[in-house]
């Protein structure tokens, strides 16, 4: 995990960038506290009642501040980040990093951790749940040039879109921390709400109804192929040939009966909703094959191997981004409906 976080200016003015003000030695976490250059320092070095991280946010353990889980593209950031607007912003940054810079790797990403900074009495911005590390082993503290120039350009585009609310550790004036992204303004800064509104995390509108395409006997093509794979996922044995014949109709009726639906053999909204299976990174099976074939049909070419790996996640996110869907890399109900439209 990174250990480079720089202090806000003495005025705390949100409009100015964070400035250097702390020592920068790698911090190694040990059992029961923090190992700083050979000396054990308790993680509670700063009084919890008045603890704030360097960017001015209230800090503490997960029982003291509102921390919630953060999962992006199937990758979890232990132990989450600050709830509310901070969560919305850091999820946005991590999501764009995952699909535009490089795929996030399980076990390589980090969130909240209550700890002081090496060589300082200040608390890390991770302590307030306002910072994340992305693919830490690939971009270790103190290393520069761990991203290509094209990747750096994309990172800068992501940060620029955040209107000064987020800073990247690769832009530190001192030792670089290219894994690291943090909230760069104090609580209550009006740009936070403006950014949340901009990226769609403000008031939650009523979601539009999900539109399904009805498929029945006599149909053929990509929708029928998907239905056949999904039926196989549900345990029904049949040949995947893309033709909605008597055999497929019979299996659809059997599935409908098992779900107490009208057993008419027609795959309409209710049957689609019951039939689809949410798949994401790490999933395997016939439902993944269906998703991969649908993505290929839509122009996002994939090998239909039934394994939902990083490439399938990347193609899913790309498809979602261009079709008005949440680009989380998860093929859920809305993505299934759009893919089979």
């Amino acid at each position: 995990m990174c250990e480079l976080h720089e202090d806000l200016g003495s005025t705390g003015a949100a409009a100015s960038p964070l400035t250097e003000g702390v020592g920068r030695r790698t911090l190694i976490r040990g059992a029961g506290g923090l190992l700083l250059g050979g000396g054990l320092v308790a993680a509670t070095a700063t009084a919890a009642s008045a603890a704030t991280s360097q960017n001015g946010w209230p800090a503490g353990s997960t029982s003291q501040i509102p921390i919630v889980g953060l999962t992006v593209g199937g990758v979890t950031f232990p132990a989450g980040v600050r709830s509310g607007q901070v969560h919305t912003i850091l999820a946005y940054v991590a999501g764009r990093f995952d699909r535009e810079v490089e795929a996030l790797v399980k076990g390589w990403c980090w969130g909240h951790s209550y700890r002081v900074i090496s060589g300082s009495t200040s608390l890390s911005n991770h302590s307030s749940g306002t910072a994340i590390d992305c693919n830490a082993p690939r971009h270790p503290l103190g290393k520069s040039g761990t991203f290509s120039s094209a990747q750096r350009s994309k990172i800068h585009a992501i940060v620029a879109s955040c209107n000064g609310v987020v800073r990247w550790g690769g832009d530190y004036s001192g030792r670089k921390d290219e894994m690291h992204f943090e909230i760069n303004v104090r609580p209550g800064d009006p740009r936070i709400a403006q950014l949340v509104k901009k990226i769609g995390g403000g008031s939650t509108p009523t979601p539009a109804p999900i539109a399904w395409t009805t498929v029945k006997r006599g149909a053929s093509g990509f929708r029928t192929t998907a239905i056949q794979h999904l039926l196989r996922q549900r345990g029904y044995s049949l040949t995947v040939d893309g033709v909605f014949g008597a055999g497929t109709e019979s299996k659809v009726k059997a599935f409908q009966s098992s779900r107490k639906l009208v057993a008419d053999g027609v795959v309409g909204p209710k049957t689609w909703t019951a039939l689809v299976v949410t798949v994401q990174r790490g999933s395997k099976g016939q439902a993944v094959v269906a998703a991969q074939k649908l993505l290929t049909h839509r122009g996002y070419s994939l090998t239909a191997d039934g394994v939902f790996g990083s490439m399938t996640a990347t193609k899913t996110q790309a498809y979602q981004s261009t079709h008005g869907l949440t680009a989380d890399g998860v093929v859920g109900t809305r993505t299934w409906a759009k893919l089979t439209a």
Side-chain angles (χ1 to χ4, degrees), residues 18 60 100 182 225 288:
L18 298 177
E100 297 177 29
E182 64 189 5
T225 297
V288 176

Side-chain angles (χ1 to χ4, degrees), residues 12-197:
S16 62
L18 298 177
T19 56
E20 279 189 305
V22 299
R24 297 182 179 83
R25 286 182 295 147
T26 302
L27 175 148
I28 305 171
R29 294 204 293 168
L34 305 176
L35 188 61
L36 302 179
L40 190 65
V41 180
T44 55
T46 304
S49 61
T52 57
S53 59
Q54 283 191 332
N55 55 8
W57 287 77
S61 68
T62 54
S63 65
Q64 295 169 320
I65 61 173
I67 297 294
V68 295
L70 174 63
T71 299
V72 176
V75 175
T76 298
F77 287 70
V81 297
R82 196 175 197 89
S83 64
Q85 293 175 322
V86 169
H87 184 280
T88 298
I89 293 167
L90 293 180
Y92 167 79
V93 171
R96 287 193 60 182
F97 180 95
D98 182 55
R99 62 182 181 269
E100 297 177 29
V101 181
E102 65 182 23
L104 296 171
V105 179
K106 288 183 178 180
W108 285 12
C109 301
W110 305 96
H112 174 265
S113 179
Y114 186 69
R115 53 192 173 85
V116 295
I117 299 172
S118 174
S120 171
T121 58
S122 298
L123 285 168
S124 160
N125 292 332
H126 285 283
S127 297
S128 59
T130 59
I132 55 172
D133 295 336
C134 297
N135 294 348
R138 189 175 290 163
H139 310 289
L141 172 65
K143 295 286 187 179
S144 295
T146 65
F147 290 99
S148 68
S149 59
Q151 287 175 314
R152 291 179 68 88
S153 294
K154 290 177 179 178
I155 290 172
H156 284 139
I158 294 168
V159 173
S161 74
C162 293
N163 303 334
V165 175
V166 174
R167 188 168 68 149
W168 176 47
D171 288 331
Y172 286 161
S173 58
R175 182 186 292 177
K176 308 302 182 184
D177 197 359
E178 295 189 343
M179 71 179 86
H180 182 79
F181 295 87
E182 64 189 5
I183 299 297
N184 193 41
V185 296
R186 295 186 183 278
D189 189 293
R191 288 175 292 175
I192 297 173
Q194 292 166 6
L195 176 58
V196 168
K197 183 177 180 180

